[in-house]
Amino acid sequence: MRITFDEAVSVMARACLRMGFSAERAEACARLFAETSRDGVYTHGFERFPRMAHYVAQGWVRPAAEPALEAAFGAWERWDGRLGPGNLNALRATDRAVELARASGIGCVALRNTNHWMRGGSYGLRAADAGCAFIGWTNTTPNLPAWGSRDAVLGNNPFVACVPRDDGEPARGCVLLDMAMSQYSFGKLEAYRMRGEELPVDGGFDSEGRATRDASAILAAKRALPIGFWKGSGLSLVLDLLGTILSGGDSVGGIGKREAEYGLSQVFVAFDLARLPDGAVRGAVEEMAGRSGLAGFLSRAKDGGDAG
């Protein structure tokens, strides 16, 4: 079944209104979900929406809660997400990081007590639309073992980096990296399980500690494989540590003590590329694209193709 983008937004916005969202916030939340599925990231679009509705019903996501500033340290600010909808909190944090970057060249918003941000790439694209480079990350519930361990004590802590093709250009001409610290995100594992398909490469371990391509076995054991083996395990730990320190929020360990994944810590950093000499951004992107064989991809992206 195929539906139009506007119809998808309308249906989810009406559902958000019934959950207690204001009309404006319902529209914004629904649009973020619809854009994610439109761009092909189905695991964090429509498929994730029922889970958010369940979290609202449980009181883990508060539709009317908006983030509040707690402290400012120059171009770095701490905000409390107040358990508001994760994608709306993340959008506000990104916009604020861009505002700080406009004033100081760089802006950092560290957000505690928030929720799943859905597709992290949405915020890289948002910053790129404003002519800013962007990096950001979030912690999660424990779902990744430290290398050599049987127990899940780390998070798969998704990380995003985005560079616009040129300052002031639309985000469709950007270079975007959006990835988890696990070989496959848990949304991707759930998609493979739903389709009954085997993973292309080993994605984790089963309950006996054996490497496997069986998504169901990995999800049951909660033992996903870190990217780069021990390197991904180390990167996960450092991202969690930085996110916890910068935001003043909970670490993966603290989140794991709850009955579900909520109350997360996230970081959003924007760089105002308009401060650089004319042509510096485009020159660097074009040179690297030409050297790595991405020139054709960037051309298609600028014309409205894939942005990821």
Side-chain angles (χ1 to χ4, degrees), residues 80-181:
D80 180 357
R82 300 170 64 203
L83 292 184
N87 55 3
L88 296 184
N89 277 353
L91 199 66
R92 178 69 187 95
T94 301
D95 288 345
R96 181 56 185 159
V98 168
E99 291 171 0
L100 291 168
R102 289 276 185 265
S104 303
I106 185 173
C108 174
V109 170
L111 180 66
R112 72 175 186 89
N113 200 28
T114 189
N115 280 297
H116 195 303
W117 66 6
M118 308 307 161
R119 175 181 63 161
S122 297
Y123 317 112
L125 295 174
R126 179 81 164 196
D129 272 333
C132 288
F134 175 87
I135 60 173
W137 65 93
T138 176
N139 63 8
T140 68
T141 196
N143 53 25
L144 197 68
W147 188 249
S149 170
R150 293 183 60 90
D151 299 327
V153 294
L154 303 175
N156 66 336
N157 302 347
F159 174 84
V160 175
C162 189
V163 182
R165 188 175 187 181
D166 198 358
D167 48 295
E169 291 255 340
R172 291 298 166 186
C174 71
V175 177
L176 171 65
L177 173 69
D178 181 358
M179 68 177 196
M181 294 300 105

Side-chain angles (χ1 to χ4, degrees), residues 221-244:
K222 296 182 180 179
R223 295 188 63 199
L225 179 69
I227 58 170
F229 305 110
W230 49 88
K231 294 183 180 180
S233 178
L235 185 54
S236 168
L237 176 64
V238 171
L239 289 176
D240 184 32
L241 181 60
L242 278 171
T244 300

Side-chain angles (χ1 to χ4, degrees), residues 188-199:
K188 185 66 71 174
L189 289 173
E190 289 168 355
Y192 272 95
R193 177 177 64 179
M194 194 183 313
R195 297 194 300 266
E197 296 178 3
E198 186 179 74
L199 302 171

Side-chain angles (χ1 to χ4, degrees), residues 246-287:
L246 293 176
S247 71
D250 280 340
S251 66
V252 166
I255 295 163
K257 296 176 182 177
R258 303 190 180 107
E259 63 270 53
E261 186 184 72
Y262 63 91
L264 310 182
S265 302
Q266 299 170 352
V267 179
F268 306 78
V269 186
F271 306 84
D272 183 9
L273 299 183
R275 292 173 176 257
L276 298 176
D278 289 344
V281 177
R282 176 177 290 277
V285 172
E286 298 295 342
E287 184 276 332

Side-chain angles (χ1 to χ4, degrees), residues 6-41:
D6 290 341
E7 184 180 359
V9 173
S10 177
V11 168
M12 287 189 288
R14 290 199 300 272
C16 286
L17 285 172
R18 291 194 294 271
M19 294 180 216
F21 287 71
S22 68
E24 181 181 1
R25 287 166 64 79
E27 171 77 15
C29 183
R31 184 166 294 275
L32 283 166
F33 274 105
E35 288 174 349
T36 299
S37 284
R38 177 201 63 194
D39 292 347
V41 190

